[in-house]
Amino acid sequence: MNLEKQITPKNSDGSIDHRYVPITKAIVNLAGERVEAQLRKLFIGTHNLEKESASAGLQLVIALFSIPMDERYERSKLKKHIREQLQEIGFKPSKVSKLMGAGEFYAKYKEYSFNSDFEIESTEAKFNEKRDCFLNEYFNSVAKLYELSRMNGAGREKVKQDLLTENKVYTQAELEKLVSSYPKDDYKRRDRKPSRANFRETRPTHALTTHESLEVMDDAKEEFVIAEPEWGQKLVKQFFLFLASGEMDKCLAGFAPAAQAHLIDEVEAVQSLLQEFIAKHQPIEVAPIH
């Protein structure tokens, strides 16, 4: 670990913001070599422990999705709580997201049962053998299981058949590319362009508290269409005020635990969309020509 690089702010594309390099260099020099060495030791130790413990975290999540329980309340509440506790134990948030996705995929795929009307295998024993062979091959990689969890059925079936017929084991990079060709329905919506007619002008202090039973925006009345040229600026400002005012917390408190967990998952998806949007529209500085 290079502490100087570690604490230097990054651009939206992940590259180092070189404007801060002299400042962070001065900070590290002032802190001293002992501080840098101790933090490096902490970084290496936690990284190695997280790596060693990934299989244990995966097994816990698999167990969560393998035990029969009420999906709407019991599993939703436990899913949210275990996610929080895995972070409390020491897993990074990004690692927890992969553990949750990978574990849920493995547990649900393991439960798939033979159906003679649809399966190409002739017997249930043969079906179970091929299913388990596929899962066991990818079980030792949380990252690969996570990418499989992001695919639709056709994508996973391709990976499975390529293993069974050609003995091909996909790398993580190859699986990531397959996700773009075989995305789950949750990921397809990222390519949808929003229509101006689908935006409603609301006061941030009343947003979602009068959610009108989660009315679909496509069904909203035409009178709410924002026609002013500055509509985009207003929407961004309202969005900011809604988050900063604490209304989100008040809104969540009014929902059942299962609904709260679902909304939190949606907010996490929005976070990645915002990062993509900011990176896409990052301004480019152009030097004037004299």
Side-chain angles (χ1 to χ4, degrees), residues 112-114 123-133:
Y112 285 175
S113 56
F114 176 72
T123 65
E124 182 176 0
K126 196 68 176 177
F127 171 83
N128 292 340
E129 178 186 350
K130 291 183 177 181
R131 179 198 60 197
D132 293 344
C133 175

Side-chain angles (χ1 to χ4, degrees), residues 140-267:
N140 291 326
S141 174
V142 172
K144 288 184 179 182
L145 283 176
Y146 174 68
E147 295 305 326
L148 288 168
S149 77
R150 299 173 60 209
M151 295 181 194
N152 59 27
R156 292 194 293 266
E157 187 63 23
K158 173 176 173 56
V159 176
K160 175 184 174 183
Q161 292 304 322
D162 285 350
L163 170 67
L164 298 175
T165 60
E166 302 176 17
N167 200 30
K168 174 175 175 53
V169 179
Y170 281 80
T171 65
Q172 183 181 342
E174 289 173 329
L175 291 173
E176 289 173 358
K177 290 183 65 175
L178 274 181
V179 170
S180 61
S181 301
Y182 301 95
K184 285 178 63 175
D185 292 340
D186 292 347
Y187 290 85
K188 290 180 181 178
R189 60 186 177 189
R190 295 186 178 183
D191 296 326
R192 298 177 184 172
K193 294 183 178 179
S195 170
R196 285 181 62 179
N198 290 340
F199 285 105
R200 296 179 54 188
E201 184 176 21
T202 61
R203 296 179 181 177
T205 54
H206 295 289
L208 288 182
T209 54
T210 54
H211 55 84
E212 301 169 3
S213 301
L214 299 180
E215 178 184 18
V216 178
M217 299 307 292
D218 288 337
D219 296 332
K221 298 179 181 179
E222 293 290 335
E223 63 183 357
F224 291 108
V225 175
I226 301 174
E228 295 87 353
E230 65 275 14
W231 65 274
Q233 183 178 359
K234 288 184 178 180
L235 283 173
V236 172
K237 184 177 180 181
Q238 289 172 359
F239 178 68
F240 173 78
L241 290 175
F242 176 61
L243 293 177
S245 65
E247 286 297 321
M248 178 65 84
D249 292 328
K250 296 178 183 178
C251 171
L252 285 175
F255 287 94
Q260 290 185 21
H262 177 72
L263 286 173
I264 291 297
D265 288 341
E266 292 295 313
V267 171

Side-chain angles (χ1 to χ4, degrees), residues 26-42:
I27 292 173
V28 172
N29 288 338
L30 182 60
E33 294 182 359
R34 186 184 64 82
V35 170
E36 183 174 7
Q38 186 62 41
L39 291 177
R40 184 183 298 111
K41 180 181 178 181
L42 174 63

